[in-house]
Amino acid sequence: MSRFICRYLAPFPVVTGLVFGATYGYAADKAGVDGKDKKHPKHNDYKKPDHAFPAAEGGMENLRVVGNGFNTLHEPIGLSRMPQDVLHTPQQINVVPQILMKQQNVKSLDEALRNVPGVTSSIGEGAGGMNGDQFLIRGFQAQNDIYQDGLRDFGVYSRDAFDLETISVIKGPSSEVFGNGTTGGAINMKTKTPGLTSRYAADFSGGSGSYYRGTLDVNQRLGESTAFRVTGMGNENNIVGRDFIYSHRWGIAPSIAFGVGQRATLILQYMHQQENSVPDFGVPVVKPPGAKIGGPITEYGIRRTNFYGTNNDQNATNDNMETARFSYKLNDHITFYDDLRGGEYYRNFAASKATCDQTCVNNYFLGNADKALVARSGPTGAGAGTGPGTYMAPLPYQQTSWSVQNVGSMVADFKTGFLKHQVVAGFDIERVNDVRSQSTYLKAKPYANLVNPNPNVGNLNLVPGDLNPAGLVSLGTLGAKDHSNGYGFDTGLFFYDQIWFTNWLSVKGGFRWDRWQTSYNLTGGNVAANPDVHFHNVTSAFNPNVSLVLTPDAHQTYYFTWANSTTPMGMYVTNGSVPIRPGTNSFASPERANLYEVGAKYSAFHDRLGFTASLFRLEKNNATNADPVTGEVLGSSDTQRNQGLELSVGGMIMRGWNVSATYALYDSETMSSDTKANIGKNVQYVPHNQATLWSVYEAFPNKPYNLAFGGGMTWRQAVWLDAVNTVKVPANLDFDAVISHRFNQHWKIAMNGYNLANRLNYQSLFSNRATPTAGRTFLGQLSYSY
């Protein structure tokens, strides 16, 4: 079996993936592979890993490869609380494997997730403004649902892919696993960890947009069961098709593993990433005079290159995470895990929000374009230009955050009579703190001309907010404050049991209980006019779930799942300008979501191809909304529903020819709302149709003139940007391609092309603006591995 599959893998750079820990099958234990699944005897074509690494005996790694890098159904999800592989987990899971990221030369989490339907990038909001990774899954916010090796990553920054092995998007509520949140789903990044074979790799990329990037990956065996690994990255680039936008970042991630392949394994990891960039809040969304539907101003003759920010805009981040992951296999039936992480995040941020009000719109569309003026902060007086400029949101801020999380769990496999059980139980404790100080400009930002904006506005005299209270943003009834601090503290207990009545029929059920405590304080400013504000909220949540699972054999799974999730107000401590406050409903009223899903997964043709299909219905009550100017997060009475079909296929069509394809059909609707105009309308940011395709063929794999070539496309239908469905962005259609040549087993050269049609697409979206994606881009890459 292994020889058959390896024959299909040989032409591809899968060797590199295996070298650096992308084990596209499973590790054997020290005794070797017996080909039997002791937990599920009928599933005898695979064996789940006992450890995170390939085991070793006599200096050799024993690998049993099942399937291939593109058929991810046998891929472990990468966290102890979900011990089954993708195939046997009763939930829709999209995996972006290492080999796909290598072929596409993926540089960031955002780029990787473009292979996953239902994931949309959001610019993010707040009186202080946000950028970084802000995602929606199936149309619902997921900015607090980003995980690394099963632990939350609380930072607000753009995550580079240099230390990522695979990325999984676990669709639908998963509160029994992750706790509060996960309405649309969760994103889990599996990092690169040490293995017992010493290997080394480096690559350099360069191309359009003054793009330069280098990465390094060194894995060194230190002893019989000890290994060290370090990955590093340096990246500098502009954005093709966007003026004045650049990003400079670097990162390093050392790790050491003790007890690899032993009963007790300890992994110690550190990650540091630093970035200096210009945030791109895109172009304003407008509605032409007399039109019923509006869109980005670039759809009406304005250049896609226009940047409406200023030379004062900056995004400087410094992010650090320290992680310890411990596992202990007590016996063949019980394994204990304990994962601990601390994080420290620092940020200096200043951005501009372009607003073209009705006067600006009328001047542009009715023949007076020279007087079409854009406010760079807030909506007041944008087009009229009646004052010296605007002071409003977003204001510059300095942010310091820290977090700590500890998750302890046990996985137990046992029998009671003729029933087989797999029990997962444990606790989850996390604390996140955030301190933010607003600054203000003594000089107002000048207006920008809509047609020819000029970012060079000079020194605007930046001062701490307490020296200029009049320049602070007023957050409605909360007043204008220059300092905020808050914390969130969560204590969670989880338990679920999967019971097999027969080898092919099982029921999985469980729950998670959480106690979420949040405190938030607004201080400073003109205290006489706006007294300091202090909020405190305690929410307890009980989230059950149940699944019926049918597994006729080791290659197919059919399931029905119902799951519940809760998102309390104040959960997004680091991600919102006002994460907790009273609104239309009490700030204590959480969002609640229910998922109903039926699905099928099938690994076919000797595990060469994996197919998935799911039908789902996702309902959310008390949906929160963010004000597009101030960023205030308010509770609402809205009930939103998204339902649809998701399909995927991945694997090898034939020897040397791989494919990865997905399709999603969504039907979303606001079922009820206090705003009558919203009822019956589509949910913001949810496309009706979405699809991805990627395929590469390698010709003459064993010849000096070998050549790999292919490409694909991503397509997203037009989406609405507001709840009442009056403005939208048009469809995205992006064509990419790759061609590569391998000189020998160590050296490879490749060329990637992105957005080959140079279409005007939009990636980051919000209710009153959208960011054009990069234009046609070419990147060359030289890679070395040994």
Side-chain angles (χ1 to χ4, degrees):
M1 175 69 177
S2 298
R3 290 192 299 270
F4 175 81
I5 297 303
C6 288
R7 213 166 54 237
Y8 277 81
L9 291 173
F12 286 90
V14 69
V15 173
T16 307
L18 289 172
V19 165
F20 302 107
T23 53
Y24 303 126
Y26 297 103
D29 59 21
K30 289 191 68 178
V33 177
D34 62 8
K36 301 295 183 181
D37 180 356
K38 299 175 182 178
K39 298 174 182 177
H40 314 301
K42 193 168 184 178
H43 301 169
N44 55 14
D45 282 0
Y46 78 101
K47 185 183 189 325
K48 293 185 289 296
D50 294 324
H51 304 282
F53 314 103
E57 184 174 15
M60 297 295 291
E61 287 181 337
N62 298 315
L63 292 177
R64 184 167 196 263
V65 179
V66 177
N68 55 74
F70 281 88
N71 178 6
T72 59
L73 289 182
H74 288 303
E75 178 75 24
I77 298 172
L79 58 153
S80 60
R81 287 162 286 168
M82 301 182 75
Q84 303 279 359
D85 61 6
V86 174
L87 176 65
H88 295 91
T89 301
Q91 207 163 340
Q92 178 66 28
I93 301 174
N94 295 104
V95 178
V96 184
Q98 176 71 194
I99 187 171
L100 177 60
M101 290 193 283
K102 284 184 175 294
Q103 288 186 358
Q104 294 181 347
N105 194 9
V106 164
K107 284 82 64 185
S108 66
L109 175 64
D110 177 72
E111 289 184 14
L113 292 179
R114 292 174 190 175
N115 293 285
V116 179
V119 177
T120 305
S121 293
S122 169
I123 293 174
E125 274 307 318
M130 288 188 297
N131 218 228
D133 291 330
Q134 305 286 323
F135 298 110
L136 302 104
I137 302 176
R138 289 176 171 173
F140 300 113
Q141 290 287 350
Q143 71 263 41
N144 205 50
D145 301 322
I146 300 176
Y147 297 80
Q148 190 179 97
D149 298 314
L151 297 170
R152 285 189 196 268
D153 184 351
F154 288 96
V156 183
Y157 64 104
S158 298
R159 293 159 179 83
D160 197 278
F162 77 100
D163 193 42
L164 301 184
E165 193 68 75
T166 61
I167 301 166
S168 300
V169 179
I170 304 164
K171 300 284 186 66
S174 300
S175 287
E176 85 282 3
V177 174
F178 298 107
N180 295 312
T182 66
T183 300
I187 300 164
N188 185 56
M189 303 170 288
K190 189 162 64 173
T191 58
K192 298 176 179 179
T193 48
L196 290 180
T197 299
S198 297
R199 289 160 177 149
Y200 319 95
D203 64 59
F204 174 78
S205 297
S208 306
S210 300
Y211 185 93
Y212 307 98
R213 177 183 176 87
T215 65
L216 179 70
D217 189 343
V218 175
N219 187 92
Q220 181 65 49
R221 180 171 181 166
L222 302 178
E224 181 180 353
S225 60
T226 304
F228 173 79
R229 187 170 188 172
V230 60
T231 61
M233 167 275 301
N235 191 102
E236 179 175 326
N237 68 280
N238 300 329
I239 304 296
V240 176
R242 297 292 294 152
D243 289 342
F244 306 105
I245 304 298
Y246 66 83
S247 174
H248 301 164
R249 65 179 181 265
W250 68 275
I252 188 168
S255 59
I256 188 168
F258 303 94
V260 178
Q262 307 299 311
R263 293 175 64 181
T265 302
L266 175 64
I267 311 166
L268 302 177
Q269 298 172 278
Y270 172 72
M271 191 285 294
H272 172 83
Q273 183 182 312
Q274 202 163 315
E275 180 177 14
N276 184 24
S277 61
V278 174
D280 189 0
F281 274 47
V283 300
V285 169
V286 301
K287 188 184 296 183
K292 294 183 178 180
I293 297 174
I297 191 65
T298 40
E299 294 298 306
Y300 305 103
I302 294 296
R303 296 190 303 270
R304 67 194 292 175
T305 59
N306 278 10
F307 172 61
Y308 294 99
T310 76
N311 59 327
N312 295 280
D313 294 351
Q314 181 193 35
N315 176 42
T317 61
N318 186 321
D319 304 287
N320 305 270
M321 288 191 293
E322 305 84 28
T323 306
R325 293 189 285 149
F326 176 75
S327 65
Y328 179 70
K329 185 175 182 179
L330 181 65
N331 52 44
D332 289 341
H333 306 286
I334 300 175
T335 304
F336 294 98
Y337 301 87
D338 191 81
D339 300 327
L340 174 66
R341 169 172 297 155
E344 305 84 39
Y345 312 96
Y346 309 94
R347 194 175 199 210
N348 289 316
F349 190 79
S352 300
K353 295 180 183 178
T355 304
C356 181
D357 69 1
Q358 195 59 49
T359 304
C360 169
V361 169
N362 290 341
N363 283 337
Y364 176 69
F365 284 98
L366 300 180
N368 203 7
D370 290 342
K371 293 185 179 180
L373 301 180
V374 172
R376 304 181 203 254
S377 298
T380 305
T386 55
T390 52
Y391 293 90
M392 292 185 64
L395 292 178
Y397 69 86
Q398 299 77 45
Q399 182 181 15
T400 300
S401 308
W402 65 265
S403 63
V404 63
Q405 183 179 14
N406 183 235
V407 179
S409 61
M410 175 197 71
V411 179
D413 295 273
F414 58 92
K415 285 187 176 182
T416 56
F418 70 94
L419 300 177
K420 293 181 296 182
H421 298 259
Q422 183 175 74
V423 170
V424 177
F427 65 88
D428 183 353
I429 300 174
E430 64 184 53
R431 165 96 181 212
V432 55
N433 272 58
D434 185 73
V435 176
R436 190 178 305 198
S437 298
Q438 300 281 351
S439 298
T440 68
Y441 296 114
L442 294 179
K443 295 181 180 179
K445 290 183 181 180
Y447 298 104
N449 182 270
L450 179 64
V451 180
N452 296 300
N454 180 8
N456 299 308
V457 299
N459 185 1
L460 299 178
N461 293 347
L462 183 69
V463 298
D466 57 358
L467 298 182
N468 182 33
L472 294 169
V473 176
S474 178
L475 299 174
T477 59
L478 302 180
K481 316 299 287 183
D482 72 314
H483 185 79
S484 65
N485 66 82
Y487 74 84
F489 181 73
D490 183 34
T491 303
L493 300 173
F494 54 89
F495 173 90
Y496 69 80
D497 184 8
Q498 186 165 0
I499 305 172
W500 281 264
F501 301 99
T502 69
N503 286 337
W504 57 270
L505 176 64
S506 64
V507 172
K508 177 182 176 182
F511 67 90
R512 173 162 170 152
W513 174 86
D514 286 271
R515 182 182 184 272
W516 182 257
Q517 178 178 311
T518 301
S519 179
Y520 185 72
N521 307 287
L522 283 167
T523 60
N526 187 344
V527 180
N530 302 298
D532 291 345
V533 179
H534 307 278
F535 293 132
H536 185 75
N537 179 41
V538 177
T539 301
S540 293
F542 180 83
N543 293 302
N545 69 91
V546 64
S547 300
L548 176 66
V549 186
L550 284 77
T551 52
D553 55 45
H555 304 287
Q556 51 186 324
T557 296
Y558 307 92
Y559 65 90
F560 170 77
T561 292
W562 171 80
N564 180 263
S565 75
T566 304
T567 305
M569 291 293 287
M571 185 174 180
Y572 306 118
V573 175
T574 60
N575 280 279
S577 61
V578 188
I580 179 171
R581 61 153 302 178
T584 305
N585 293 320
S586 167
F587 64 85
S589 299
E591 292 182 336
R592 298 190 184 278
N594 289 285
L595 170 73
Y596 308 88
E597 181 172 307
V598 59
K601 303 178 184 183
Y602 184 43
S603 186
F605 308 113
H606 301 283
D607 290 318
R608 281 174 31 221
L609 283 169
F611 300 87
T612 71
S614 66
L615 289 167
F616 74 93
R617 181 183 177 97
L618 182 58
E619 300 170 344
K620 183 173 76 167
N621 299 317
N622 192 34
T624 56
N625 298 312
D627 184 277
V629 177
T630 67
E632 294 175 88
V633 180
L634 303 174
S636 75
S637 63
D638 288 8
T639 297
Q640 298 174 337
R641 182 222 68 202
N642 188 21
Q643 60 187 13
L645 167 70
E646 291 185 342
L647 305 172
S648 73
V649 58
M652 307 291 287
I653 299 174
M654 56 180 291
R655 184 176 181 179
W657 184 9
N658 66 257
V659 65
S660 176
T662 66
Y663 171 72
L665 171 66
Y666 294 142
D667 173 28
S668 67
E669 184 178 350
T670 298
M671 308 298 291
S672 65
S673 174
D674 285 343
T675 305
K676 293 184 178 180
N678 294 349
I679 299 175
K681 300 300 175 62
N682 293 111
V683 177
Q684 294 167 269
Y685 317 122
V686 180
H688 186 53
N689 289 280
Q690 192 171 3
T692 69
L693 172 66
W694 180 261
S695 185
V696 170
Y697 177 74
E698 184 157 346
F700 316 109
N702 300 315
K703 305 294 183 181
Y705 44 86
N706 67 86
L707 190 69
F709 58 91
M713 65 90 186
T714 59
W715 171 61
R716 183 193 69 209
Q717 202 168 358
V719 298
W720 296 103
L721 297 179
D722 60 342
V724 74
N725 293 178
T726 60
V727 290
K728 67 178 179 181
V729 295
N732 272 10
L733 182 59
D734 195 342
F735 296 99
D736 302 332
V738 64
I739 184 170
S740 67
H741 170 72
R742 186 173 292 278
F743 295 101
N744 51 44
Q745 62 178 339
H746 302 301
W747 290 95
K748 188 186 79 168
I749 189 171
M751 173 70 76
N752 286 81
Y754 307 93
N755 193 10
L756 295 177
N758 201 30
R759 278 180 55 94
L760 176 55
N761 293 322
Y762 302 90
Q763 181 65 21
S764 296
L765 310 176
F766 202 68
S767 58
N768 60 352
R769 57 192 175 276
T771 303
T773 60
R776 185 185 297 114
T777 303
F778 293 97
L779 296 181
Q781 183 185 47
L782 178 65
S783 302
Y784 171 81
S785 62
Y786 180 78

Tab-separated table of all heavy atoms in Angstrom, residues 39 61 122 141 260 399 416 523 547 561 616 646 759:
chain	number	residue	atom	x	y	z
A	39	LYS	N	-8.363	0.957	18.362
A	39	LYS	CA	-9.577	1.577	18.898
A	39	LYS	C	-10.799	1.201	18.074
A	39	LYS	O	-11.902	1.076	18.599
A	39	LYS	CB	-9.409	3.103	18.925
A	39	LYS	CG	-8.263	3.543	19.828
A	39	LYS	CD	-8.013	5.043	19.720
A	39	LYS	CE	-6.842	5.463	20.581
A	39	LYS	NZ	-6.516	6.886	20.451
A	61	GLU	N	13.371	6.686	11.326
A	61	GLU	CA	11.968	7.020	11.505
A	61	GLU	C	11.128	6.005	10.755
A	61	GLU	O	11.438	5.635	9.617
A	61	GLU	CB	11.673	8.419	10.972
A	61	GLU	CG	12.229	9.516	11.855
A	61	GLU	CD	11.905	10.883	11.307
A	61	GLU	OE1	11.657	10.976	10.096
A	61	GLU	OE2	11.897	11.837	12.091
A	122	SER	N	-12.113	40.688	6.705
A	122	SER	CA	-12.765	41.930	7.107
A	122	SER	C	-11.698	42.912	7.537
A	122	SER	O	-10.694	42.525	8.144
A	122	SER	CB	-13.737	41.669	8.267
A	122	SER	OG	-14.178	42.881	8.834
A	141	GLN	N	-18.390	36.668	12.456
A	141	GLN	CA	-17.089	37.093	12.939
A	141	GLN	C	-16.308	35.940	13.562
A	141	GLN	O	-16.839	35.135	14.318
A	141	GLN	CB	-17.256	38.213	13.971
A	141	GLN	CG	-17.728	39.538	13.397
A	141	GLN	CD	-16.648	40.247	12.597
A	141	GLN	OE1	-15.489	39.858	12.614
A	141	GLN	NE2	-17.033	41.302	11.887
A	260	VAL	N	10.662	12.414	22.049
A	260	VAL	CA	9.988	12.148	20.780
A	260	VAL	C	9.809	10.643	20.609
A	260	VAL	O	10.758	9.866	20.690
A	260	VAL	CB	10.782	12.721	19.600
A	260	VAL	CG1	10.080	12.399	18.284
A	260	VAL	CG2	10.964	14.217	19.769
A	399	GLN	N	-1.117	50.050	22.022
A	399	GLN	CA	-1.812	48.931	22.638
A	399	GLN	C	-0.801	47.938	23.189
A	399	GLN	O	0.166	47.564	22.525
A	399	GLN	CB	-2.718	48.236	21.611
A	399	GLN	CG	-3.529	47.079	22.161
A	399	GLN	CD	-4.392	46.421	21.096
A	399	GLN	OE1	-4.196	46.646	19.902
A	399	GLN	NE2	-5.359	45.627	21.502
A	416	THR	N	-17.318	-0.800	27.876
A	416	THR	CA	-18.274	-1.184	28.921
A	416	THR	C	-19.185	-2.223	28.288
A	416	THR	O	-20.071	-1.895	27.500
A	416	THR	CB	-19.091	0.027	29.413
A	416	THR	OG1	-19.742	0.633	28.304
A	416	THR	CG2	-18.198	1.048	30.092
A	523	THR	N	-11.262	55.730	30.870
A	523	THR	CA	-10.852	56.807	31.773
A	523	THR	C	-10.187	57.926	30.984
A	523	THR	O	-9.799	57.763	29.828
A	523	THR	CB	-9.874	56.290	32.843
A	523	THR	OG1	-8.714	55.757	32.186
A	523	THR	CG2	-10.509	55.191	33.684
A	547	SER	N	-23.792	14.096	17.921
A	547	SER	CA	-23.601	13.654	16.541
A	547	SER	C	-23.951	12.175	16.420
A	547	SER	O	-23.675	11.390	17.339
A	547	SER	CB	-22.148	13.860	16.090
A	547	SER	OG	-21.759	15.208	16.153
A	561	THR	N	-24.941	16.240	12.807
A	561	THR	CA	-24.431	16.950	13.976
A	561	THR	C	-25.332	18.110	14.330
A	561	THR	O	-25.797	18.850	13.447
A	561	THR	CB	-23.005	17.474	13.715
A	561	THR	OG1	-22.110	16.364	13.620
A	561	THR	CG2	-22.531	18.392	14.834
A	616	PHE	N	-25.830	22.241	5.663
A	616	PHE	CA	-25.872	22.799	7.009
A	616	PHE	C	-26.901	23.916	7.106
A	616	PHE	O	-27.289	24.537	6.113
A	616	PHE	CB	-24.493	23.342	7.414
A	616	PHE	CG	-24.137	24.645	6.737
A	616	PHE	CD1	-24.420	25.869	7.336
A	616	PHE	CD2	-23.521	24.641	5.490
A	616	PHE	CE1	-24.107	27.065	6.710
A	616	PHE	CE2	-23.208	25.841	4.848
A	616	PHE	CZ	-23.504	27.054	5.465
A	646	GLU	N	-21.725	22.557	0.961
A	646	GLU	CA	-20.285	22.697	0.767
A	646	GLU	C	-19.728	21.377	0.236
A	646	GLU	O	-20.051	20.297	0.759
A	646	GLU	CB	-19.582	23.081	2.073
A	646	GLU	CG	-19.914	24.489	2.529
A	646	GLU	CD	-19.135	24.923	3.747
A	646	GLU	OE1	-18.592	24.053	4.461
A	646	GLU	OE2	-19.083	26.145	3.998
A	759	ARG	N	-7.540	41.556	-12.747
A	759	ARG	CA	-8.886	42.012	-12.443
A	759	ARG	C	-8.907	42.895	-11.201
A	759	ARG	O	-8.074	42.772	-10.297
A	759	ARG	CB	-9.817	40.813	-12.205
A	759	ARG	CG	-10.365	40.173	-13.458
A	759	ARG	CD	-11.260	39.006	-13.100
A	759	ARG	NE	-12.317	39.390	-12.178
A	759	ARG	CZ	-13.548	39.759	-12.534
A	759	ARG	NH1	-13.864	39.808	-13.813
A	759	ARG	NH2	-14.452	40.043	-11.635
